[in-house]
Structures are given as C-alpha cells and as structure tokens.
Amino acid sequence: MAMTNNYLIGVDGGTESIRAGVFDTKGNPLAYASTNYNTNFPSPGWAEQDPRDWWKALAVSVRKAVQDSGIAAEQVSALAVDTTCCSVVALNDSGDPLRPALIWMDVRSANQAEQVADCADPALRVNSNGKGPVSAEWMIPKALWLKQNEPEIFESAATICEYQDYLNFHLTGRLVCSINNVSTRWHFDFSEGKTGSKKSFPGSLLEKLELADLAEKWPVEVIRLGEVIGGLTKEAAEHLGLPVGLQVVQGGADAQIGMIGLGVVEPGSLALITGSSHLQLGLSEKPFHGEGIWGTYAEALLPGLHTVEGGQTSTGSVINWLKNLFGESDYSSLNRDAQNLPPGSEGLIVQDHFQGNRTPHTDPRSRGAVHGLSLKHSRAHIFRASIEGVAFGSELIFESMRENGFHPENVVISGGATRSKLWLQIHADVSNVPITLTRNPDAPLLGCAILSAVGAGFYKDIPSAVETMVQIESIVEPNAYHHDAYKPFLESYKKTYIALRNIRNNLED
C-alpha cells in the first residue's frame, strides 16, 4: 500500500440524509458533505424511503466531500458505510427495490411484533429476557408484515435485507450482511461458539411463524466489522468518482458504529447516541438479559464482548418538529429563552413517545403527550420541557440497566444534542452523571473511518485504531441541586405512560 494513500471515507446513512466524511489515519476530518432525501409517511406510524434515493445521495455526498477535502480520489484507501437499522428492503434478482423501504421508525408491524413475541422462542431472550415485547422496528416483524400484507412482493423478492446491505451490494457486487445488524435486529445468536450464519440464524422462531422462507431471502454471508467486503465495481467507482477496486469495509447500524467513533470499546462504558432518536449502548464482558432492556447481543460490536441496548424512538425529531412548528430557522432563540427557565419548566411534562416507545416499554402504540399546561407557559417552556422529557426517557433506560446489573462507568455522547449546551446540561443533571464529549462529535462517520483504517491495514484491530483516532474534548459535570429539583418531575414523567396506556389502547381499538 502506497503511504500516500492514507485517507479514508466514512459514510453515515441517516434518517434524513446521507453524509460522507474524509479523514486521515489519525482520525482528523478533512471535509464533510451531506445530501438529503425524502421520507414519506403514508399512514400514522408508517415511514418509507426510496432506496434509489440513497444510492443517488451517496454519490453526491462522496464526490462533494472528496472535492472539498483537497485530496485526489486516488489517495483514498478504503471506505465503510453505516446506515439506519432496521430499514428493510425487498430486492429483485438485480438488487433493485420492489417497493419503498420500511425504514427503522416504521412501526406498522405492531401486530406482527406481537405474533413474534407470542412464540416463546429462545431467540427472544434478547427482548427483556424473553418477556418481550418485541419491537415493531425489527427485521422479523417487518418481513412478516410484508408476507401477510403484500404477499406478491414477499414471494417475488430474491433478497430481503437492510439499507446497509443494499448499498454494499451496489458498491461491490457482493451480497453480505453485517454481524452487527443481524445480532442486534435479526435475532441471530453468536453466543456459545455459534459463529457460522447457519448455526446462528433463528430457525425455530421462523418455523413457528411460518416464515422459514425468509431465511432463503437473507444474504448467506455474515461479515464482521472492519473486514473487507470487496472492491468497488467499475459502475460504483464511476458513480462515486473513486478508483475501481477501492476497498469497501463492513460497517453496521449507525448508532452502534457511533460507539466505535466515541471510543466506547471497553467493558463498562456506555455511548449516548443522539439524533432523530436516542440510543444508549454499553459493553459488558458477560452476557445478561433482563426486563426493560435489549440484549445482550454477543459479538455484535467486538469479539468476546456483549452489547446492551436501550433506545428512544423520537428525540431530536421531536425537537426539530417543535422548531418547525414555531417557525424558527435554527435553535438559537429557543435555547436562549429556555435556558432562563427552572428545572421542570414550571410544572410542564412532555412524554417523548411521538413514534412510540422503544425501551423500556417497547410500545409502538404509545404516543407523545404534554400535560401541566397553563396560560403562564410559553413556547420556551414547551421547548425546554420537551428536552427534559427526552432526558427523563434516557434516565428511565439507565435505571433499567442498573436494575439488571449494568452500571456504566462513563457516558460518552455524540450527535445533535452536543450542539446544545442546554441539552447536555439537562442530560447530566437528570441522570447525575458526567457527560463526556469527544473532539469529533460525528461519531458514526468517525466510526466508519476507524473501520476503514482497520480494513486497509493501518491498525491491527478496532481498539488499536480507537486509541489513536478518538480524542476527549470536554466533560459536562452534573449540577447536584438541579438533579434533586428534577426528581419529582421525573416521577411524574414515569406515571404519565401508565396513566395514558389504557386510554391510547382503547382509542387504537
């Protein structure tokens, strides 16, 4: 490998856009570029995207990032892609989509998720130790919805896979899936030496659902993070403006790859990934399963480690919705006004379940709520209370993890919330934990660059690359007085879901 070819590309396929970044082998970013694509919402709880938009946007972002970086395309050694998960695509023999993708936030398969949970299968132990429920966001409920509601699409599909797999196939011509996605969202089990895909796939669960034919539509090969999938095909190279044969390295789910970009690669650490949604992701040396959490997932991130997960479906998307609703072009005035309000927003509580709840309730039918409104309250109150509601949801997940024996020693944050000092402080105060920020807050992109560096041979493994490529920037310390002040509002937040659950269920019925 020529030493002049020491640049890497990370690609982050997110909910609203696909972003590309050019990095050197020390983790320093040279340039970023982002290209938006559309999301359609045909019905409440549904969310679809056209996979062809992903492919078009990928080229625009990669070309712009390379151009802005000032390097030649020939100096790039490798690229890796992360994407949203589960964003499920049905493809024909040529790898073209048969219908719009059911992206991760699509929860139309709520009934199918209940059918999966009712199977009482060992594969379901990652869902609150088998007590469930199973999320409607995951692969098997969505595939079951396709089979039951669009059987002609399901039957004609040569492949049913992820956004991730779709891009990698069109980049390399090789159809594979990521160990990260299948361990965390497809109910594959890589514990106890089950390293082969045939040993690890959830055969008995699919049989019980009369869905055994789904396994025939999944990619056969499972690739670990940081392993080379293949080189860019001639068509892909022309599309991206990169050399033919450029190494494409396996990535995974955006938030999980963000763990790597935050340096969360040791047991006892936890990543708080913020954006349209929040994810709380930690690493443990030992497997465990319990109520209110997802996981642990064996081998999902690194060999020999187990990933525990919590998540909130709508967080940054709620704040963005409010910004647009208030007619603001940015968050500056909202943050400034909300900063002057006391903890608890003078009695206002917001439940952040605008697209359902991921954990600890795993309830796709739950919805957002605001209570405690008075004529005193302003839009600043609603804005701050919404941020507090998101922080309360995170704390509820931390409580569930602690109850199951996982006590994170440090919390590292990335994503949209890092751009708001108010939001960072509220998170620290509500949970009474220090929040660490890394120098590069674009953790998924940096995580992909780290994987690219490993695949290209610059580092022997992921932890070695992290040691050089991830740097700590600052730490937000909690305010003990504010933490105490938040306690009654946190209790009210917890009771909100219980109080509204039956009301919402009756309305849905």
Side-chain angles (χ1 to χ4, degrees), residues 169-202:
F169 172 73
H170 284 277
L171 289 170
T172 67
R174 186 181 178 195
L175 185 61
V176 300
C177 49
S178 170
I179 191 172
N180 181 256
N181 290 340
V182 302
S183 178
T184 61
R185 292 293 180 269
W186 297 22
H187 285 99
F188 276 51
D189 180 9
F190 295 94
S191 64
E192 301 171 359
K194 299 177 182 178
T195 54
S197 60
K198 290 297 183 183
K199 296 180 181 178
S200 58
F201 88 102

Side-chain angles (χ1 to χ4, degrees), residues 172-374:
T172 67
R174 186 181 178 195
L175 185 61
V176 300
C177 49
S178 170
I179 191 172
N180 181 256
N181 290 340
V182 302
S183 178
T184 61
R185 292 293 180 269
W186 297 22
H187 285 99
F188 276 51
D189 180 9
F190 295 94
S191 64
E192 301 171 359
K194 299 177 182 178
T195 54
S197 60
K198 290 297 183 183
K199 296 180 181 178
S200 58
F201 88 102
S204 64
L205 177 60
L206 297 182
E207 289 283 354
K208 292 172 184 177
L209 293 165
E210 299 182 358
L211 196 59
D213 45 354
L214 174 61
E216 300 171 4
K217 300 177 185 293
W218 280 339
V220 174
E221 293 186 87
V222 178
I223 306 296
R224 287 186 179 275
L225 302 184
E227 292 186 2
V228 176
I229 300 170
L232 285 181
T233 65
K234 182 176 182 294
E235 294 78 9
E238 291 176 352
H239 186 60
L240 301 183
L242 295 173
V244 175
L246 178 76
Q247 290 179 319
V248 178
V249 180
Q250 184 61 278
D254 48 5
Q256 302 255 345
I257 304 308
M259 295 176 71
I260 296 172
L262 291 175
V264 178
V265 293
E266 299 291 337
S269 55
L270 184 139
L272 178 56
I273 314 288
T274 72
S276 298
S277 63
H278 268 33
L279 278 180
Q280 297 80 10
L281 297 157
L283 289 175
S284 171
E285 288 183 310
K286 298 180 180 179
F288 63 92
H289 308 282
E291 291 188 52
I293 57 171
W294 287 352
T296 53
Y297 311 114
E299 311 285 320
L301 200 75
L302 295 170
L305 293 181
H306 305 265
T307 306
V308 60
E309 176 187 7
Q312 295 158 269
T313 306
S314 45
T315 56
S317 53
V318 175
I319 308 306
N320 185 62
W321 173 79
L322 272 178
K323 174 177 70 70
N324 294 335
L325 191 66
F326 292 149
E328 294 287 344
S329 59
D330 59 42
Y331 296 100
S332 57
S333 65
L334 291 168
N335 271 305
R336 183 184 63 248
D337 295 342
Q339 179 74 46
N340 298 322
L341 296 174
S345 302
E346 298 190 286
L348 201 57
I349 301 294
V350 173
Q351 179 171 275
D352 54 311
H353 300 180
F354 282 44
Q355 287 287 122
N357 175 267
R358 185 179 289 158
T359 60
H361 308 300
T362 316
D363 184 352
R365 293 188 174 91
S366 185
R367 289 294 178 263
V370 182
H371 65 85
L373 281 167
S374 74

Side-chain angles (χ1 to χ4, degrees), residues 16 54 82 85 109 266 306 316 329 331 359 384 429:
E16 299 174 357
W54 302 335
D82 72 61
C85 173
S109 59
E266 299 291 337
H306 305 265
S329 59
Y331 296 100
T359 60
R384 181 181 179 114
D429 293 347

Side-chain angles (χ1 to χ4, degrees), residues 301-508:
L301 200 75
L302 295 170
L305 293 181
H306 305 265
T307 306
V308 60
E309 176 187 7
Q312 295 158 269
T313 306
S314 45
T315 56
S317 53
V318 175
I319 308 306
N320 185 62
W321 173 79
L322 272 178
K323 174 177 70 70
N324 294 335
L325 191 66
F326 292 149
E328 294 287 344
S329 59
D330 59 42
Y331 296 100
S332 57
S333 65
L334 291 168
N335 271 305
R336 183 184 63 248
D337 295 342
Q339 179 74 46
N340 298 322
L341 296 174
S345 302
E346 298 190 286
L348 201 57
I349 301 294
V350 173
Q351 179 171 275
D352 54 311
H353 300 180
F354 282 44
Q355 287 287 122
N357 175 267
R358 185 179 289 158
T359 60
H361 308 300
T362 316
D363 184 352
R365 293 188 174 91
S366 185
R367 289 294 178 263
V370 182
H371 65 85
L373 281 167
S374 74
L375 296 179
K376 166 69 184 298
H377 289 112
S378 65
R379 65 178 196 162
H381 287 85
I382 298 173
F383 182 75
R384 181 181 179 114
S386 297
I387 293 176
E388 291 173 341
V390 170
F392 292 153
S394 290
E395 173 58 18
L396 198 55
I397 290 165
F398 291 157
E399 287 185 1
S400 298
M401 289 181 174
R402 291 191 290 266
E403 288 170 359
N404 287 286
F406 180 74
H407 299 269
E409 297 170 2
N410 66 309
V411 175
V412 191
I413 192 170
S414 74
T418 63
R419 293 189 283 271
S420 169
K421 292 182 179 179
L422 173 65
W423 202 339
L424 289 171
Q425 193 63 57
I426 289 174
H427 263 307
D429 293 347
V430 167
S431 294
N432 200 33
V433 295
I435 304 292
T436 299
L437 288 87
T438 56
R439 183 171 300 171
N440 188 337
D442 293 296
L445 279 178
L446 179 56
C448 283
I450 290 169
L451 295 177
S452 297
V454 173
F458 291 108
Y459 299 94
K460 66 177 182 178
D461 55 28
I462 293 171
S464 298
V466 163
E467 188 174 351
T468 298
M469 297 178 72
V470 180
Q471 297 91 32
I472 301 301
E473 179 70 22
S474 62
I475 298 176
V476 178
E477 296 290 346
N479 181 308
Y481 174 80
H482 287 173
H483 174 68
D484 289 338
Y486 274 124
K487 288 180 179 178
F489 301 104
L490 174 61
E491 291 305 310
S492 180
Y493 171 87
K494 293 178 183 178
K495 294 175 182 177
T496 299
Y497 171 73
I498 299 170
L500 292 181
R501 181 174 52 198
N502 291 336
I503 296 173
R504 289 300 311 174
N505 287 346
N506 290 338
L507 185 61
E508 292 290 337

